[in-house]
Amino acid sequence: MPLKKYKPYTHSRRGMLSTDYSILTKDVPVPKSLLEVKKRSAGRNNQGRITAKYRCVGNKQLYRIVDFYRREEGASEVLAIHYDPNRSAFISLIRNKTTGKLNYILAPEGIKVGDIVESSENAPIKIGNAMPLSRIPDGSFIHNIELVPGRRGRLVRAAGTWAQVLGKEGEKAIVRLPSGEVRYINSQCYATIGRVSNVDHENVKLGKAGASKWHGRLPRPRPVHMNPVDHPMGGGEGKSKSGTPPCSEKGIPAKGYRTRKASKPTSHIIKSRREK
């Protein structure tokens, strides 16, 4: 999907890039049954004190109830493609042809209004269809992958991401994740064929700090110009690196330091780790 460019009539507009929303459906409203109230705390606790830095309320939003289970069998028609303020990907409004029930699903790249998507073990190999990993051919691109059968899709849900089925070994499928990590996943877990929509999301440039505040993010100062009491990298005379290697506020090294515990119970399902 192309990005929308702007003429530099202000300093903040120069170099600004935003998503082109021309693909979205405008004449189909969002069903009220698929909306929920979304409350924000702006990083503060019940006493009003900041416990998570650099957060603010941002624009008011309603939560869209998205079906990550994809276990309802039968063919469904795509009625619309909508914007979701709570995620980077677009969502598709579908209606089950048998029950007439409306649902939101993650919109795969290339899906259009009027397409038919299915969720079953015998669904055809087609973009937007959900089925067990045991039925998906090797080399296919997938997203919205379950980790445990029946417990909804957990992996690969961000805009433009995809995983790839590398093969099958007994009751497990070998899947390469977007990070480069290769994992064993139960072959009865469901996944959706295709790549997640809004591929160019990673190239968006907000242009100004105010646009980040609309999303609920406050400006974050660089650690090297903080005081020593505020960050390990702070302090020094003038423009100084303070002699401290890059690290977090709690002193955890920022480059090349592995934080995963060796004794983690899910380590046995990792075939190969991601690259550093």
mmCIF file of all heavy atoms in Angstrom, residues 222-228 230-236 240-249 254:
data_model
loop_
_atom_site.group_PDB
_atom_site.id
_atom_site.type_symbol
_atom_site.label_atom_id
_atom_site.label_comp_id
_atom_site.label_asym_id
_atom_site.label_seq_id
_atom_site.Cartn_x
_atom_site.Cartn_y
_atom_site.Cartn_z
ATOM 1 N N ARG A 222 16.691 11.818 25.997
ATOM 2 C CA ARG A 222 17.817 10.901 25.872
ATOM 3 C C ARG A 222 18.501 10.713 27.229
ATOM 4 O O ARG A 222 18.696 11.683 27.975
ATOM 5 C CB ARG A 222 18.820 11.437 24.852
ATOM 6 C CG ARG A 222 18.275 11.435 23.433
ATOM 7 C CD ARG A 222 19.268 12.032 22.453
ATOM 8 N NE ARG A 222 19.486 13.456 22.723
ATOM 9 C CZ ARG A 222 20.631 13.970 23.112
ATOM 10 N NH1 ARG A 222 21.671 13.183 23.335
ATOM 11 N NH2 ARG A 222 20.752 15.262 23.315
ATOM 12 N N PRO A 223 18.912 9.492 27.560
ATOM 13 C CA PRO A 223 19.535 9.255 28.873
ATOM 14 C C PRO A 223 20.834 10.020 29.084
ATOM 15 O O PRO A 223 21.159 10.404 30.216
ATOM 16 C CB PRO A 223 19.791 7.743 28.869
ATOM 17 C CG PRO A 223 18.830 7.189 27.878
ATOM 18 C CD PRO A 223 18.666 8.246 26.837
ATOM 19 N N VAL A 224 21.607 10.313 27.998
ATOM 20 C CA VAL A 224 22.922 10.935 28.191
ATOM 21 C C VAL A 224 22.826 12.381 28.673
ATOM 22 O O VAL A 224 23.819 12.919 29.159
ATOM 23 C CB VAL A 224 23.741 10.888 26.884
ATOM 24 C CG1 VAL A 224 24.147 9.477 26.552
ATOM 25 C CG2 VAL A 224 22.975 11.503 25.726
ATOM 26 N N HIS A 225 21.682 13.006 28.555
ATOM 27 C CA HIS A 225 21.603 14.373 29.087
ATOM 28 C C HIS A 225 20.750 14.435 30.347
ATOM 29 O O HIS A 225 20.326 15.509 30.770
ATOM 30 C CB HIS A 225 21.108 15.357 28.016
ATOM 31 C CG HIS A 225 19.641 15.328 27.739
ATOM 32 N ND1 HIS A 225 18.717 15.912 28.571
ATOM 33 C CD2 HIS A 225 18.932 14.815 26.716
ATOM 34 C CE1 HIS A 225 17.504 15.753 28.078
ATOM 35 N NE2 HIS A 225 17.603 15.081 26.958
ATOM 36 N N MET A 226 20.490 13.262 30.984
ATOM 37 C CA MET A 226 19.834 13.247 32.283
ATOM 38 C C MET A 226 20.870 13.439 33.393
ATOM 39 O O MET A 226 22.084 13.411 33.154
ATOM 40 C CB MET A 226 19.094 11.926 32.498
ATOM 41 C CG MET A 226 17.885 11.705 31.603
ATOM 42 S SD MET A 226 17.056 10.170 32.030
ATOM 43 C CE MET A 226 15.733 10.165 30.834
ATOM 44 N N ASN A 227 20.398 13.590 34.599
ATOM 45 C CA ASN A 227 21.261 13.651 35.763
ATOM 46 C C ASN A 227 21.602 12.241 36.241
ATOM 47 O O ASN A 227 20.855 11.294 35.966
ATOM 48 C CB ASN A 227 20.584 14.431 36.889
ATOM 49 C CG ASN A 227 20.407 15.888 36.549
ATOM 50 O OD1 ASN A 227 21.289 16.500 35.935
ATOM 51 N ND2 ASN A 227 19.271 16.459 36.928
ATOM 52 N N PRO A 228 22.700 12.067 36.968
ATOM 53 C CA PRO A 228 23.062 10.717 37.430
ATOM 54 C C PRO A 228 21.994 10.057 38.297
ATOM 55 O O PRO A 228 21.885 8.836 38.331
ATOM 56 C CB PRO A 228 24.350 10.950 38.231
ATOM 57 C CG PRO A 228 24.889 12.235 37.737
ATOM 58 C CD PRO A 228 23.702 13.058 37.348
ATOM 59 N N ASP A 230 18.867 10.149 37.788
ATOM 60 C CA ASP A 230 17.738 9.720 36.973
ATOM 61 C C ASP A 230 18.056 8.532 36.066
ATOM 62 O O ASP A 230 17.143 7.803 35.662
ATOM 63 C CB ASP A 230 17.251 10.883 36.101
ATOM 64 C CG ASP A 230 16.761 12.055 36.936
ATOM 65 O OD1 ASP A 230 16.070 11.783 37.938
ATOM 66 O OD2 ASP A 230 17.076 13.209 36.606
ATOM 67 N N HIS A 231 19.335 8.371 35.692
ATOM 68 C CA HIS A 231 19.676 7.292 34.752
ATOM 69 C C HIS A 231 21.160 6.950 34.905
ATOM 70 O O HIS A 231 21.982 7.851 35.152
ATOM 71 C CB HIS A 231 19.389 7.736 33.314
ATOM 72 C CG HIS A 231 19.246 6.600 32.353
ATOM 73 N ND1 HIS A 231 20.322 5.938 31.816
ATOM 74 C CD2 HIS A 231 18.139 5.992 31.838
ATOM 75 C CE1 HIS A 231 19.895 4.981 31.004
ATOM 76 N NE2 HIS A 231 18.593 4.985 30.998
ATOM 77 N N PRO A 232 21.551 5.666 34.747
ATOM 78 C CA PRO A 232 22.969 5.314 34.853
ATOM 79 C C PRO A 232 23.848 6.007 33.814
ATOM 80 O O PRO A 232 25.039 6.219 34.056
ATOM 81 C CB PRO A 232 22.965 3.796 34.626
ATOM 82 C CG PRO A 232 21.600 3.346 34.984
ATOM 83 C CD PRO A 232 20.690 4.479 34.623
ATOM 84 N N MET A 233 23.294 6.383 32.671
ATOM 85 C CA MET A 233 24.073 7.030 31.615
ATOM 86 C C MET A 233 24.106 8.544 31.771
ATOM 87 O O MET A 233 24.697 9.243 30.937
ATOM 88 C CB MET A 233 23.497 6.674 30.236
ATOM 89 C CG MET A 233 23.564 5.194 29.918
ATOM 90 S SD MET A 233 22.684 4.772 28.417
ATOM 91 C CE MET A 233 23.595 5.691 27.193
ATOM 92 N N GLY A 234 23.481 9.074 32.803
ATOM 93 C CA GLY A 234 23.421 10.507 32.999
ATOM 94 C C GLY A 234 24.676 11.062 33.658
ATOM 95 O O GLY A 234 25.545 10.331 34.120
ATOM 96 N N GLY A 235 24.756 12.376 33.706
ATOM 97 C CA GLY A 235 25.876 13.049 34.354
ATOM 98 C C GLY A 235 27.017 13.333 33.411
ATOM 99 O O GLY A 235 26.936 13.105 32.199
ATOM 100 N N GLY A 236 28.097 13.872 33.954
ATOM 101 C CA GLY A 236 29.259 14.225 33.154
ATOM 102 C C GLY A 236 29.347 15.723 32.922
ATOM 103 O O GLY A 236 28.396 16.471 33.188
ATOM 104 N N SER A 240 28.779 14.606 27.396
ATOM 105 C CA SER A 240 29.608 13.488 27.827
ATOM 106 C C SER A 240 28.844 12.179 27.708
ATOM 107 O O SER A 240 27.633 12.125 27.890
ATOM 108 C CB SER A 240 30.051 13.700 29.274
ATOM 109 O OG SER A 240 30.648 12.543 29.786
ATOM 110 N N LYS A 241 29.599 11.115 27.414
ATOM 111 C CA LYS A 241 29.008 9.771 27.397
ATOM 112 C C LYS A 241 28.975 9.170 28.791
ATOM 113 O O LYS A 241 28.448 8.073 28.974
ATOM 114 C CB LYS A 241 29.822 8.855 26.470
ATOM 115 C CG LYS A 241 29.881 9.333 25.034
ATOM 116 C CD LYS A 241 28.628 8.992 24.278
ATOM 117 C CE LYS A 241 28.766 9.474 22.849
ATOM 118 N NZ LYS A 241 28.069 8.706 21.871
ATOM 119 N N SER A 242 29.586 9.820 29.741
ATOM 120 C CA SER A 242 29.610 9.449 31.159
ATOM 121 C C SER A 242 30.302 8.116 31.419
ATOM 122 O O SER A 242 30.273 7.600 32.530
ATOM 123 C CB SER A 242 28.187 9.418 31.749
ATOM 124 O OG SER A 242 27.438 8.326 31.231
ATOM 125 N N GLY A 243 30.937 7.516 30.414
ATOM 126 C CA GLY A 243 31.707 6.298 30.632
ATOM 127 C C GLY A 243 30.890 5.051 30.886
ATOM 128 O O GLY A 243 31.436 4.006 31.223
ATOM 129 N N THR A 244 29.562 5.143 30.736
ATOM 130 C CA THR A 244 28.691 3.993 30.986
ATOM 131 C C THR A 244 28.226 3.401 29.661
ATOM 132 O O THR A 244 27.774 4.134 28.786
ATOM 133 C CB THR A 244 27.465 4.419 31.813
ATOM 134 O OG1 THR A 244 27.909 5.065 33.009
ATOM 135 C CG2 THR A 244 26.615 3.211 32.179
ATOM 136 N N PRO A 245 28.354 2.093 29.466
ATOM 137 C CA PRO A 245 27.849 1.495 28.215
ATOM 138 C C PRO A 245 26.334 1.626 28.120
ATOM 139 O O PRO A 245 25.656 1.805 29.143
ATOM 140 C CB PRO A 245 28.279 0.028 28.330
ATOM 141 C CG PRO A 245 28.479 -0.215 29.786
ATOM 142 C CD PRO A 245 28.963 1.091 30.350
ATOM 143 N N PRO A 246 25.772 1.572 26.915
ATOM 144 C CA PRO A 246 24.319 1.726 26.759
ATOM 145 C C PRO A 246 23.551 0.724 27.610
ATOM 146 O O PRO A 246 23.828 -0.480 27.586
ATOM 147 C CB PRO A 246 24.091 1.464 25.267
ATOM 148 C CG PRO A 246 25.399 1.771 24.631
ATOM 149 C CD PRO A 246 26.442 1.393 25.624
ATOM 150 N N CYS A 247 22.595 1.237 28.350
ATOM 151 C CA CYS A 247 21.816 0.372 29.246
ATOM 152 C C CYS A 247 20.471 1.014 29.509
ATOM 153 O O CYS A 247 20.213 2.157 29.133
ATOM 154 C CB CYS A 247 22.565 0.136 30.555
ATOM 155 S SG CYS A 247 22.861 1.637 31.513
ATOM 156 N N SER A 248 19.602 0.262 30.168
ATOM 157 C CA SER A 248 18.283 0.770 30.521
ATOM 158 C C SER A 248 18.366 1.538 31.837
ATOM 159 O O SER A 248 19.430 1.639 32.461
ATOM 160 C CB SER A 248 17.291 -0.391 30.658
ATOM 161 O OG SER A 248 17.601 -1.154 31.811
ATOM 162 N N GLU A 249 17.223 2.046 32.260
ATOM 163 C CA GLU A 249 17.182 2.807 33.511
ATOM 164 C C GLU A 249 17.542 1.939 34.708
ATOM 165 O O GLU A 249 18.031 2.428 35.725
ATOM 166 C CB GLU A 249 15.788 3.401 33.687
ATOM 167 C CG GLU A 249 15.683 4.428 34.788
ATOM 168 C CD GLU A 249 14.344 5.124 34.798
ATOM 169 O OE1 GLU A 249 13.621 5.032 33.802
ATOM 170 O OE2 GLU A 249 14.041 5.777 35.806
ATOM 171 N N ALA A 254 21.977 -2.711 26.842
ATOM 172 C CA ALA A 254 21.023 -2.515 25.749
ATOM 173 C C ALA A 254 21.417 -3.224 24.473
ATOM 174 O O ALA A 254 20.584 -3.396 23.593
ATOM 175 C CB ALA A 254 20.864 -1.015 25.463
#
